[in-house]
Structure formats: C-alpha cells, structure tokens
Amino acid sequence: MAKMQQLLGAEYDEFIRSYDTERVQGLRFNGLKGNPAQMYEKNRERFDLTPVPWCREGFYYRQETRPGRHPFHEAGVYYIQEPSAMAVVSLLDPQPGERVLDLCAAPGGKTTHIASRLCGQGLLVSNEIHPARAKILSQNVERMGIGNGVVTNEDSEKLKVYFPEFFDAMVVDAPCSGEGMFRKDEQARAEWSETNVRICAERQQEILDNAAAMLRPGGRMIYSTCTFSPEEDEAGIAAFLDRHPEFSVVRVPEEKRLPGLSAGRAEWSGRRAELAGDLAGSAGDSAGSAGSPTESAGSLAHPEVADTFRIWPHRAEGEGHYLALLTKAEAEEGYRPPRIRCPKYWNDKQGGKILEEFLKDTLKENPGNADAEKKENLILFGDQIYRIPEEMPEFNGLRVLRPGLHLGTLKKNRLEPSHALALYLHPEQVKRSISLKADGPQILDYLKGNTLADDEGRKGWTLVCVDGYSVGWAKAVSGTLKNHYPKGLRI
C-alpha cells in the first residue's frame, strides 16, 4: 500500500476507504437474444437493476437476486460480468461486419460483448493460451448463441503467423498483477508481489508486439488491465509507443467519452524505464526510479497517455481498471494486404443431403437473420459439422476448439442437432417450439433432464424456450418431448 499512497497522494485515504464497501455486481444483456433496452424493462424489478453508466447493455444487480441461478442465464439472455470490465468493448465500439480479435479472451466476458455488438456479422476470433480456460471460453461462446465466432487455444506468437495485418479491431485484455481485483479476489491479493508486477509488465509488452502485427493499417486496438500498477498501464503503453511509432493513442472527444472513467496519468508513463533499462540510460537508473513515480518522467513521459482511461473504485461503481484505445497509422499508397488462403470446406454429397433434410424439416423457409440454412463454408471435425464464418482464413495447424457454429453430429442416415444450434436459433425461425415459463416448474424439469408432456401432437426436433428465449432441444415422439439438454449442464 506504500506504493499506492505515493501514487495517489491526497486521494489515498478515500481510495482505501472504498475497500470497506461491498463490491458491486453486474450483468450485461445479450443483444443476440433481443433488444437489451427491452430486456432491461422486462427484468428491472426481477433483479433490481440499475444502469452501468459506461455500458448501454450493462446493469448492476442486487446479489440476493442471484441471476446466475435463473433459467435466463442458461439461455444466454445475459452474461454475469464485473461492471468495470464492460467499459473495454464500449470504448472499442466494434461494428457489424468487422474482423475482431479478442487475444486473451477467457472466460469470455469481452468476447460475448463483442459478439453482441457485431450482430452476427463479420468475424470474431477469441483466443486463450491456457487449455482449461479456453474450454470455459468455448462454453460461454456456445451459451450466448454466437454464430460467427472461432475459439483458438494458442500463443500470440503463433497467431500472428496466421493473421498478418488481418483484423480491423482487437482487444488485448492482458494478464496482469490484478491489483484492481483485490476487493473481490483473495487469490489476487495472495499472489501479488513487486516481482510479479515486473513479470506481468514484460509479458504484456511481448503480447502487445504480437498483437500489433495482426492489426491492419488504420485499425484500432484496446489494451486493458485490472491493475493500478503504472508499469503495466501508462508506462506499458508508453514503452509500446516507443517501439511502435506507427501507433498512437486515440483522443476521444469530450462529448463522446464514457461517463465514470477518469483520465490516465501521463506523469506515470516515465516508469517504463523500469521495463527497459536502456530507456533510462542504464539499468542502474532504471532501478533508481522505482522509488519515485515521476523521477524518470521528464523527456520520457508521453503526454498522450493522458488520453487513456482509468476506473478507480473510490470514484466509480466498479473495480480498478485501465484502458488505452490505440490506432495504427493508415497504409501508405500502394500497400497490398497479405494474401489470405481459405480453408478446405466439406464436400460430401451423402452427408450434405442428411444436413439438408434436417434443415428443411426443422427450420422455416425464411428464418430471419439466423442464416442457419446456409450449406456453404461447412467443415467436418470427426463426425461434427461446423459452419465456418465467411471471413475465416485457413487454420490448419492451429489449435482450434470451436471453428464456427456447431450444427450437429452426423450419425447414420441422420443429424443430431447441437446445443449450440439451439442457443443460436430464435423460436420464430423454427417449425416447432415450446416456450416454458421462467418461474414455472416445467423449465426446472427440463434443465434437470426430465421428459416433458406434449399435448400438441408435435413430431420431430423441437426448440425448447424459456419465456421466448431458446435454451435447448427436445424430440417430440408420441405425445412426449424427449429431453436433449446436455447431461453436463443439467441441474
């Protein structure tokens, strides 16, 4: 805390007092499932919601309302997310049709927010280097009904070989020392050390360098952390700008700035001398600067770092966060982007006929924006059929957990639809559906894996919904709905 006292000065006491208050809880409505504003109006009293000022889809909720245990959570209606983290995608503002990379994506909060803003158009690649966390990321991509997303499990060094100057926008939510999470995460407090701060800062620079190679000229990238450490924040951005003069900090006009965010501290950018001794003239100078956050600033300071942002727990309703929106210079005249090879698509007449018969039997002729009837861009992973996003290049050699929308499992003379497809679809896009009440006993029976009665004489695959939101499949046979909710998800 001595470091924070030195950095914050007169604000320190107020900062410390904020840790005596309970942390706030937040959820973010999924625009792929409906209009977030309308979702808010319908659920405002249910979860005692109040708006998060920097995110139009985000809302604070009272902990005792427990939205994570509500059937809407299983239907992907919303994502439980720390409110400060919602500012990252709000600031990046991805647009439908863009190619977007979430480089350090698990567990999926920012990925699912990006997907909501893309509205099913364009390409979203979500990467996580740790296999177990990448699996959780893939599960959340499925739960939120994302159809244009690809989940990879790779190092950023390898990714840049596959995606040279490819993406329009990127999120680099870098692994950090986690100082901003001390109020909510006991493990973050236990693992903190000055050594870990330095290790994180050095790792972040490597990740940023690799990210820079994947952003197209004119593209934008947001760097974020959940730490207060200048070495990982303002100083980290300053060090990156020193190495990459083609990048600059985006100055957001006053009238477009997100409410609740404070300005970055340009005077702290000089601490990057602690990341690279040659910037300060020698390793000794670097070590000497650790005692004073402004001692090494001078000519090393980047004034534009003042246009980055912080969320302070004593100034806003959220945990500590740092955000820097960067842009890459436009290409010079005559620039040609790297050529991208397309993957080899599935071309099996018998399998294609089985898929076509399933789609014809299950979907309406005009299924709105689902586009699930498209039969191009298909690949087969074993016996699993996926539809690859149109913008996705060849990925042979990459560790890919989810190459696109999982349509189903190809079995002998039939297709068993995937849970991902159920969550992707809307009831108005299918021929057979049943909507159960969120507060009724039937939805709990379904989520437990029980068979439901069918008094409407349905026959075939039926989309099960909760208050109109898809949650899984059932197969109607002889007056019953046989449950196909995944066993691993049952309560």
Side-chain angles (χ1 to χ4, degrees):
M1 285 297 119
K3 177 181 178 181
M4 293 307 301
Q5 187 170 17
Q6 187 178 54
L7 290 171
L8 289 174
E11 280 190 73
Y12 176 74
D13 290 342
E14 186 181 1
F15 169 78
I16 288 297
R17 281 196 297 271
S18 72
Y19 283 80
D20 294 328
T21 62
E22 288 191 15
R23 66 185 182 93
V24 293
Q25 312 278 346
L27 62 81
R28 178 178 40 73
F29 285 113
N30 181 7
L32 297 176
K33 291 285 184 174
N35 184 304
Q38 293 176 0
M39 292 173 168
Y40 163 63
E41 290 298 333
K42 291 179 181 178
N43 294 281
R44 178 170 53 181
E45 294 184 3
R46 188 196 303 269
F47 301 122
D48 194 13
L49 302 175
T50 55
V52 173
W54 47 77
C55 178
R56 64 176 183 253
E57 308 96 336
F59 299 88
Y60 302 105
Y61 68 85
R62 281 192 302 111
Q63 187 171 1
E64 53 266 35
T65 62
R66 306 178 81 176
R69 292 181 175 267
H70 195 277
F72 283 171
H73 182 268
E74 306 313 310
V77 175
Y78 47 72
Y79 188 97
I80 305 293
Q81 187 176 22
E82 201 286 306
S84 292
M86 300 177 188
V88 175
V89 176
S90 293
L91 185 59
L92 181 67
D93 193 23
Q95 298 297 309
E98 289 188 319
R99 300 170 175 174
V100 185
L101 170 66
D102 187 359
L103 187 53
C104 313
K110 296 169 184 68
T111 275
T112 56
H113 197 177
I114 294 167
S116 179
R117 293 286 181 100
L118 290 180
C119 304
Q121 303 172 44
L123 169 67
L124 170 59
V125 176
S126 304
N127 181 71
E128 172 57 45
I129 191 172
H130 299 288
R133 286 171 55 81
K135 185 177 180 180
I136 295 170
L137 168 65
S138 183
Q139 291 169 346
N140 280 320
V141 166
E142 175 177 272
R143 181 172 63 87
M144 302 300 278
I146 298 169
N148 61 332
V150 174
V151 178
T152 59
N153 170 216
E154 282 293 355
D155 181 89
S156 60
E157 182 77 26
K158 187 171 182 179
L159 278 184
K160 73 178 184 182
V161 176
Y162 282 78
F163 300 101
E165 297 187 329
F166 180 80
F167 293 101
D168 301 299
M170 297 174 57
V171 171
V172 181
D173 185 43
C176 69
S177 59
E179 295 170 3
M181 294 293 111
F182 282 1
R183 182 164 56 175
K184 64 171 285 189
D185 190 344
E186 186 175 337
Q187 185 177 356
R189 296 196 298 270
E191 293 179 353
W192 186 90
S193 69
E194 287 283 2
T195 299
N196 191 39
V197 169
R198 181 176 292 276
I199 291 171
C200 288
E202 292 173 353
R203 183 191 302 129
Q204 290 153 5
Q205 294 301 304
E206 178 183 352
I207 293 172
L208 278 169
D209 287 344
N210 292 332
M214 290 186 275
L215 192 67
R216 69 161 177 82
R220 63 201 188 283
M221 172 171 70
I222 190 162
Y223 170 82
S224 66
T225 73
C226 55
T227 188
F228 302 119
S229 170
E231 294 88 343
E232 301 176 68
D233 296 340
E234 289 92 346
I237 288 300
F240 173 75
L241 294 175
D242 284 339
R243 295 193 308 279
H244 295 273
E246 73 276 19
F247 277 83
S248 59
V249 177
V250 175
R251 190 176 192 283
V252 180
E254 191 69 35
E255 65 275 12
K256 293 185 178 180
R257 294 193 179 188
L258 300 177
L261 275 61
S262 303
R265 304 290 290 269
E267 67 271 22
W268 293 349
S269 66
R271 289 178 73 101
R272 69 188 183 283
E274 299 174 28
L275 304 180
D278 59 328
L279 291 175
S282 70
D285 289 340
S286 172
S289 68
S292 171
T294 59
E295 186 176 323
S296 62
S299 62
L300 289 175
H302 268 271
E304 61 188 305
V305 171
D307 292 322
T308 63
F309 298 96
R310 281 184 176 269
I311 298 177
W312 294 101
H314 62 291
R315 292 187 182 183
E317 292 292 319
E319 305 307 308
H321 237 72
Y322 177 78
L323 309 91
L325 182 61
L326 308 171
T327 186
K328 193 173 186 178
E330 294 285 355
E332 296 181 0
E333 187 176 351
Y335 168 82
R336 292 185 178 181
R339 293 185 63 183
I340 299 296
R341 295 176 57 189
C342 292
K344 293 181 180 179
Y345 300 124
W346 182 50
N347 185 19
D348 180 276
K349 289 185 178 180
Q350 178 63 24
K353 184 178 180 180
I354 293 172
L355 173 62
E356 187 173 0
E357 289 175 352
F358 165 80
L359 295 175
K360 185 177 180 180
D361 176 68
T362 307
L363 300 184
K364 293 181 179 178
E365 290 185 8
N366 298 303
N369 62 3
D371 273 349
E373 82 284 4
K374 284 188 176 181
K375 293 178 283 297
E376 63 269 25
N377 298 357
L378 298 179
I379 63 167
L380 197 66
F381 266 29
D383 57 359
Q384 307 298 313
I385 303 176
Y386 286 84
R387 194 187 76 204
I388 305 175
E390 293 181 6
E391 299 272 345
M392 184 65 184
E394 169 61 54
F395 52 83
N396 187 36
L398 281 180
R399 289 193 295 269
V400 178
L401 275 68
R402 186 173 294 271
L405 177 62
H406 185 198
L407 298 181
T409 304
L410 192 63
K411 298 192 173 182
K412 187 177 181 180
N413 298 323
R414 66 185 177 91
L415 181 89
E416 186 168 300
S418 71
H419 187 56
L421 180 60
L423 291 166
Y424 173 75
L425 291 168
H426 295 246
E428 63 269 18
Q429 297 162 346
V430 298
K431 292 181 177 179
R432 294 172 295 276
S433 68
I434 180 172
S435 188
L436 310 177
K437 293 183 179 180
D439 300 323
Q442 281 187 305
I443 185 61
L444 293 180
D445 280 342
Y446 177 75
L447 294 176
K448 289 177 181 178
N450 297 330
T451 298
L452 302 178
D454 175 30
D455 55 5
E456 294 190 17
R458 300 177 182 88
K459 185 179 180 180
W461 289 104
T462 301
L463 191 66
V464 180
C465 305
V466 51
D467 283 1
Y469 301 112
S470 60
V471 72
W473 290 111
K475 195 168 187 179
V477 180
S478 303
T480 62
L481 290 168
K482 293 186 177 181
N483 198 310
H484 281 262
Y485 192 67
K487 292 182 179 179
L489 299 178
R490 293 176 183 178
I491 60 175

